[in-house]
Amino acid sequence: MKVLVPVKRVIDYNVKARVKADQTGVDLANVKMSMNPFCEIAVEEAVRLKEKGVATEVVIVSIGPAQAQETIRTALAMGGDRGVLITTDADPEPLAVAKLLAAVVAEENPNLVLMGKQAIDGDNNAVGQMLSALLGWPQATYASAIEVSGSTAKVTREVDGGLQTLDVDLPAIVTADLRLNEPRYASLPNIMKAKKKEIAQKAVADYGVDIAPRLKVIKVTEPAKRSAGIKVETAADLVSKLNTAGVL
């Protein structure tokens, strides 16, 4: 069974994002970049499937600048077998990403697409669902547990009322939630091995997909700074302040 895992290069989650002076977007100059945390969870789950003997090959795919090779290498060091990089300096919108991934799926013919539920930069949470619609494949989102048996995957997902279990026929799209697993740290020997693993270089034009943006960013601003709190002497003062603020 072949598993395809899309990964995205994003600003590291430990870094505080800065807005450009002209408010046209987020400043990426000299900023530490890393693999999207949800994508990392998806890679870990795919590698675990391979270690269980369920998956035979884990293919990593990324869409982004040439530096996204580093993100793919990280996934390969975790246990991926080979990578595909679709090079573009643009930041494609979710539908464009889904169309590119659909083209990769047609080329690779995987049995399972396992991906993060969302990227922490755009927070759109849309690509997995769009890809499912484009391919006509079943989907299971927000996965907190996955069991693959034969041509079926049993996926446990978190919903407002608790846990929901779905049986989906393969091929299928599964998006990983935070509690699916704890990603491993790549060992030094595996990091060295990853340097020799294949990464196929592709261009957007190779897939004939139009990634021109349909949305226009008017302005990007930082969140308003929180005002300082105040101290109260007694519980009565607290109740009074809450009443004044309209909380009570």
Side-chain angles (χ1 to χ4, degrees), residues 8 15 22 38 114 155 168 170 188:
K8 187 176 184 182
V15 175
D22 60 2
F38 290 106
L114 186 52
V155 180
V168 293
L170 300 180
L188 182 58

Side-chain angles (χ1 to χ4, degrees), residues 122-143:
D123 271 338
N124 291 300
N125 188 359
V127 174
Q129 294 87 331
M130 289 178 170
L131 180 59
S132 171
L134 291 172
L135 295 174
W137 287 10
Q139 62 174 308
T141 56
Y142 305 102

Side-chain angles (χ1 to χ4, degrees), residues 8-11 13 17 26 36-39 91-94 116-130 142 176-177:
K8 187 176 184 182
R9 178 177 182 263
V10 299
I11 295 177
Y13 67 92
V26 176
N36 176 53
F38 290 106
C39 298
D91 185 14
E93 293 171 1
K117 68 173 184 177
Q118 66 193 72
I120 61 172
D121 52 1
D123 271 338
N124 291 300
N125 188 359
V127 174
Q129 294 87 331
M130 289 178 170
Y142 305 102
D177 205 351

Side-chain angles (χ1 to χ4, degrees), residues 143-235:
S144 59
I146 302 172
E147 295 179 22
V148 178
S149 178
S151 60
T152 304
K154 178 181 288 186
V155 180
T156 301
R157 58 193 302 270
E158 298 185 357
V159 295
D160 292 340
L163 298 177
Q164 180 187 54
T165 302
L166 300 176
D167 283 336
V168 293
D169 294 329
L170 300 180
I173 311 293
V174 177
T175 68
D177 205 351
L178 189 64
R179 279 165 287 278
L180 179 58
N181 60 52
E182 184 72 28
R184 71 191 66 190
Y185 289 101
S187 64
L188 182 58
N190 286 339
I191 291 173
M192 299 306 293
K193 290 177 183 177
K195 293 182 178 180
K196 298 180 181 179
K197 292 182 179 179
E198 175 194 356
I199 297 181
Q201 298 276 356
K202 300 284 187 175
V204 172
D206 294 338
Y207 297 101
V209 175
D210 178 17
I211 64 169
R214 268 63 176 179
L215 303 175
K216 181 179 180 181
V217 176
I218 306 300
K219 183 171 66 173
V220 177
T221 60
E222 293 186 1
K225 289 184 171 55
R226 295 179 62 182
S227 57
I230 60 172
K231 292 183 178 180
V232 295
E233 297 296 331
T234 66

Side-chain angles (χ1 to χ4, degrees), residues 43-144:
V43 172
E44 173 65 26
E45 194 65 23
V47 172
R48 291 186 185 188
L49 289 174
K50 184 181 175 185
E51 290 173 344
K52 292 175 183 176
V54 175
T56 55
E57 185 180 27
V58 176
V59 181
I60 311 298
V61 59
S62 188
I63 302 166
Q67 295 91 327
Q69 284 191 63
E70 301 169 9
T71 306
I72 295 177
R73 293 287 179 202
T74 300
L76 296 178
M78 290 174 66
D81 294 296
R82 59 185 175 87
V84 177
L85 174 60
I86 304 174
T87 309
T88 175
D89 290 326
D91 185 14
E93 293 171 1
L95 182 56
V97 173
K99 288 180 178 179
L100 285 171
L101 291 179
V104 174
V105 167
E107 187 175 75
E108 292 288 342
N109 196 29
N111 304 91
L112 175 66
V113 177
L114 186 52
M115 59 196 301
K117 68 173 184 177
Q118 66 193 72
I120 61 172
D121 52 1
D123 271 338
N124 291 300
N125 188 359
V127 174
Q129 294 87 331
M130 289 178 170
L131 180 59
S132 171
L134 291 172
L135 295 174
W137 287 10
Q139 62 174 308
T141 56
Y142 305 102
S144 59

